[in-house]
Amino acid sequence: QTTRNLPVHIGIELFAGGTDTTVWQSHFLDAETLLSKISDIDTYDAPSPLRTNVNGAIVSAIANTESAATAFRVRNRGGAFTAEYVLVFTDGYDNASLVDAQTAIDAAQSSSVNVVGIGLNTESYRPEDLASLSEAPVLTAGSADELVREFQTLAARIDAQTQRTY
């Protein structure tokens, strides 16, 4: 498969039990670099691998995405349209309890960033927790193949929204 530059900036942030996300790849256009960073995710040394700070990750990712969108508009002297999305791949279970769920919900509701939950159906899957953080319906995957399918569905939905805008 040939990769090329993407028409959108994509950033990758990882989270575990730490207080903030780890910016694995800042917002970037090059698909080959992004795919390389994704293939290296298994080398991520989580600060607290037995804890998951979903709520804190959402608050952090929203702030980072808003900042990247603002910087993009400034670089384009205000002449650029942006649509911001945070895709959260998780089972929805926050066992770190560093940020309460209401703080994450408030951050999502007060932002122009669209938060979309992609649930990984594990033993600790909590779709109701994930749904409370996302205005869009939660997509659920129980296997790698289903995850690919759900991600493709989501990409098509985002692309359709972009096409309607122009």
Side-chain angles (χ1 to χ4, degrees):
Q1 174 177 334
T2 304
T3 58
R4 58 182 168 71
N5 283 344
L6 302 170
V8 296
H9 287 198
I10 297 175
I12 302 169
E13 296 183 43
L14 307 178
F15 63 95
T19 55
D20 290 312
T21 59
T22 297
V23 176
W24 194 248
Q25 173 62 54
S26 59
H27 289 82
F28 202 63
L29 289 167
D30 181 63
E32 202 166 300
T33 299
L34 289 166
L35 291 172
S36 174
K37 292 300 284 188
I38 289 169
S39 70
D40 289 342
I41 284 177
D42 63 345
T43 66
Y44 174 57
D45 187 20
S48 184
L50 299 178
R51 295 189 324 170
T52 303
N53 183 13
V54 175
N55 298 329
I58 289 171
V59 171
S60 179
I62 289 170
N64 290 341
T65 301
E66 288 173 337
S67 178
T70 298
F72 179 78
R73 288 189 297 271
V74 167
R75 283 193 309 273
N76 287 279
R77 296 183 173 89
F81 169 78
T82 62
E84 300 86 29
Y85 286 85
V86 168
L87 311 180
V88 184
F89 293 91
T90 181
D91 61 9
Y93 181 51
D94 184 316
N95 66 354
S97 300
L98 298 172
V99 174
D100 64 39
Q102 191 59 52
T103 299
I105 291 167
D106 292 346
Q109 290 177 346
S110 67
S111 174
S112 63
V113 173
N114 297 289
V115 177
V116 179
I118 301 171
L120 304 176
N121 196 357
T122 64
E123 285 182 23
S124 58
Y125 183 44
R126 297 195 179 175
E128 64 283 348
D129 290 359
L130 192 54
S132 69
L133 300 168
S134 176
E135 290 185 19
V138 172
L139 305 173
T140 301
S143 68
D145 288 341
E146 288 177 22
L147 183 61
V148 168
R149 185 188 70 235
E150 293 299 342
F151 189 74
Q152 289 171 337
T153 299
L154 180 58
R157 187 171 64 192
I158 292 170
D159 183 52
Q161 178 187 7
T162 304
Q163 298 301 321
R164 285 190 309 269
T165 302
Y166 297 107

